[in-house]
Amino acid sequence: MSRVKNNNSKKKNTKKIRNFILVAVILAVSVMASYVYFTTQKWNNVIFPNVKVENVDLTGKTKEEAIKLLRDKYGNPALKSKINIKAENRTYTINFSGLNAQYNIIKTVNEAYAYGKDLNIISKYKLISKPDNKQYNLKFSYNEKPINDTIESMKKEINKGPKEPSIKLDNGKFVVIDGNPGAELDGDKLKKDIMAQLDNKSSGDINIDAPIKTINSKTSTEALKAVDTNIATISSNYSTSSWGRSTNIAVATKSIDGTLLMPGETFSFNEVVGERTKARGYQEAPVIINQKVEPGLGGGICQVSTALYNAVLQANLKTTERVHHTFPSHYAAKGLDATVDWGNIDLKFKNTFDYPVYIQAYTKNKTVYFNIYSNKKLKERTYKITTELYSTVEPTIKYIDDPTLLEGKHEVVKNPHTGYRVKVYRDIYENGKFIKKELVSKDYYVAINGITKRGTKKH
């Protein structure tokens, strides 16, 4: 009987222990659940631990607090900052405010604030109790136009071509005038450098040196010093010319005076002299048009191009383009003339020497003069230009009966001109000794047949 009582007593004690443990567990779970709940609740309206934007720790901050922190560190300084571009002796400044520069602070704070908020309570608790580092970065936005405008403005002020050294003839002696290097802003590199620093989000002003390239002149003063000797001299008289023709010769000649031709460069008469217009001082004078002599603006300048051509031949410069007249000119031997016509016919020659060539051109007492200068070593060779007339073609005259003219009367419609075939040679001498003869050109002045009206009307 006593054994049965003991067994019942033991069962009751075991049950009490189990109940106690169960209650304890339930209580512990409840306490833990409450702790987890209240712990996560505290973070509902603030940013979770170890959440950073850039290098700012926003742990436990409200949205408003986070926004203020970031604005104080990034937003407001950005508005007050400047881009200072140092270029030569000037500094160009671009204000951030003018760029409409700003960080996406509110958007980034919203993202940081939302971190972990959509998780269940246990996951939230884990993020809070054992937080991982969570990093957000601000994005910097700005308007590029003020940068582009500033760079373009800088180019206009900085970019300049080099001033080439030059020479002038002063009382028979050459004076070399030094040039100056030019400058060119590397706008692409400058923009790239500016944007790299802007995107780096560094606080404070951006100070940057403008990348400016030095543009050296193509010609050196040493090269110009090599010009020291006259290698060709030509003159051509126009004393019988009218005022208009004389004026045209003087204007064209002045355009050529002082021309400097560096090794490898080509001279173009039309490019140097320019278009023959009244605005540039040219007058009406006889010119050859359609095999006839008629008045035309700039008439007479072919005597200038012809004189220059003869100087070029004498100097042994390489002629690359030259056309003779329709019929021979009175101011040059056959085969030695050179006609020009704006936009149509040109006189061109190339400097194939190792030295620069300087052309002096002037008029005096109705004579045009050309002097070509280069280096004295070129005088070791001299040149003599000769011509050979090897064929003559006589023109015909066509007569047209005209009943409006009286018998015995004649009216010339078109003057005849004899045709010629001519060869031009250059005799080459070295230190006064004949070396060889070379053919320069073969010209054919086409015979021009005449036309004359003769009267048939009876008296």
Side-chain angles (χ1 to χ4, degrees):
M1 187 77 177
S2 59
R3 187 177 293 174
V4 173
K5 286 181 179 180
N6 287 336
N7 287 337
N8 290 334
S9 177
K10 286 180 180 180
K11 288 180 179 179
K12 288 179 179 180
N13 289 336
T14 300
K15 187 176 181 180
K16 286 180 180 179
I17 292 170
R18 287 177 178 171
N19 290 336
F20 178 77
I21 292 172
L22 180 60
V23 170
V25 170
I26 292 171
L27 183 60
V29 169
S30 297
V31 170
M32 185 62 186
S34 297
Y35 178 77
V36 169
Y37 173 77
F38 286 111
T39 298
T40 56
Q41 281 292 103
K42 287 195 305 182
W43 293 90
N44 276 350
N45 297 316
V46 296
I47 297 171
F48 278 13
N50 284 9
V51 174
K52 292 183 178 180
V53 173
E54 298 297 335
N55 62 346
V56 179
D57 189 350
L58 299 182
T59 300
K61 303 298 183 185
T62 63
K63 281 186 181 181
E64 292 74 18
E65 290 171 337
I67 289 171
K68 184 177 185 307
L69 275 173
L70 294 174
R71 278 180 174 166
D72 290 344
K73 186 170 181 61
Y74 294 101
N76 295 331
L79 294 175
K80 297 176 183 177
S81 297
K82 296 177 292 184
I83 302 171
N84 300 310
I85 309 168
K86 187 176 180 182
E88 297 177 329
N89 298 321
R90 179 178 171 183
T91 298
Y92 296 82
T93 299
I94 306 173
N95 294 314
F96 274 39
S97 56
L99 296 174
N100 194 26
Q102 56 185 331
Y103 290 98
N104 62 335
I105 291 174
I106 294 177
K107 182 176 183 295
T108 306
V109 168
N110 285 336
E111 291 176 0
Y113 178 81
Y115 173 66
K117 295 294 193 297
D118 59 343
L119 300 175
N120 61 49
I121 192 169
I122 300 301
S123 297
K124 286 182 181 178
Y125 179 74
K126 287 180 180 179
L127 282 181
I128 294 166
S129 59
K130 293 182 179 180
D132 294 326
N133 291 325
K134 182 63 178 177
Q135 179 71 39
Y136 290 93
N137 292 313
L138 294 171
K139 289 184 179 179
F140 188 58
S141 62
Y142 50 89
N143 182 5
E144 293 182 19
K145 188 176 183 301
I147 299 174
N148 295 334
D149 291 346
T150 299
I151 291 175
E152 288 305 312
S153 176
M154 291 175 65
K155 284 181 179 180
K156 291 178 181 177
E157 295 182 18
I158 294 171
N159 289 4
K160 58 183 178 182
K163 180 185 177 183
E164 298 289 333
S166 59
I167 57 175
K168 69 176 181 178
L169 200 54
D170 188 10
N171 293 324
K173 291 185 178 180
F174 281 103
V175 177
V176 177
I177 303 165
D178 292 335
N180 292 308
E184 183 178 290
L185 175 69
D186 190 340
D188 292 340
K189 186 177 187 306
L190 176 57
K191 184 176 178 180
K192 184 178 179 181
D193 292 345
I194 292 172
M195 294 180 71
Q197 292 207 38
L198 284 171
D199 295 339
N200 194 36
K201 297 185 288 291
S202 56
S203 59
D205 291 351
I206 292 175
N207 298 304
I208 194 166
D209 290 328
I212 299 174
K213 295 182 288 187
T214 298
I215 309 298
N216 294 317
S217 59
K218 294 182 293 184
T219 307
S220 69
T221 54
E222 288 303 313
L224 297 186
K225 289 178 182 178
V227 179
D228 56 13
T229 302
N230 185 313
I231 62 172
T233 297
I234 288 292
S235 63
S236 181
N237 184 271
Y238 57 95
S239 58
T240 60
S241 294
S242 64
W243 173 82
R245 189 175 188 277
S246 299
T247 299
N248 295 338
I249 290 174
V251 172
T253 301
K254 187 176 181 181
S255 300
I256 300 169
D257 184 41
T259 296
L260 180 67
L261 203 63
M262 298 303 294
E265 290 184 343
T266 295
F267 174 96
S268 163
F269 187 94
N270 283 337
E271 287 181 8
V272 173
V273 173
E275 187 173 3
R276 279 64 95 179
T277 64
K278 284 188 176 180
R280 301 183 69 244
Y282 287 98
Q283 307 297 319
E284 293 276 348
V287 294
I288 300 174
I289 300 174
N290 296 325
Q291 300 183 344
K292 292 193 296 184
V293 177
E294 298 179 4
L297 202 60
I301 66 167
C302 286
Q303 187 164 353
V304 178
S305 58
T306 294
L308 177 57
Y309 175 59
N310 280 264
V312 165
L313 290 177
Q314 190 183 102
N316 196 36
L317 286 161
K318 183 179 180 180
T319 305
T320 58
E321 185 176 332
R322 170 256 172 184
V323 177
H324 63 77
H325 286 82
T326 304
F327 37 83
S329 304
H330 67 276
Y331 47 77
K334 297 175 183 67
L336 296 181
D337 59 320
T339 184
V340 288
D341 181 27
W342 174 258
N344 185 26
I345 303 173
D346 204 354
L347 170 66
K348 293 182 180 180
F349 54 89
K350 185 176 182 179
N351 179 6
T352 56
F353 302 150
D354 294 330
Y355 313 99
V357 166
Y358 179 88
I359 302 174
Q360 181 190 39
Y362 63 95
T363 56
K364 185 178 180 181
N365 297 328
K366 284 205 167 186
T367 300
V368 58
Y369 295 89
F370 278 101
N371 292 309
I372 297 180
Y373 295 86
S374 192
N375 188 259
K376 59 188 176 186
K377 289 185 178 180
L378 298 176
K379 290 291 286 183
E380 293 175 359
R381 284 195 170 192
T382 54
Y383 308 90
K384 182 181 178 181
I385 307 302
T386 60
T387 62
E388 176 192 344
L389 179 63
Y390 66 93
S391 177
T392 300
V393 181
E394 294 300 330
T396 62
I397 298 177
K398 180 180 180 180
Y399 290 94
I400 301 173
D401 291 339
D402 188 342
T404 64
L405 286 177
L406 292 174
E407 278 185 330
K409 296 288 184 181
H410 292 79
E411 183 179 308
V412 176
V413 177
K414 187 177 183 181
N415 286 314
H417 290 275
T418 303
Y420 302 95
R421 286 185 172 89
V422 62
K423 293 179 182 178
V424 177
Y425 295 95
R426 181 187 284 113
D427 295 339
I428 303 173
Y429 299 83
E430 189 166 303
N431 297 321
K433 182 181 178 181
F434 176 78
I435 300 297
K436 63 177 179 178
K437 179 189 289 285
E438 62 181 18
L439 179 67
V440 174
S441 64
K442 292 174 67 175
D443 292 345
Y444 175 36
Y445 297 89
V446 179
I448 299 174
N449 296 322
I451 300 174
T452 299
K453 290 181 181 179
R454 57 188 176 189
T456 60
K457 184 180 180 180
K458 300 294 184 181
H459 289 277

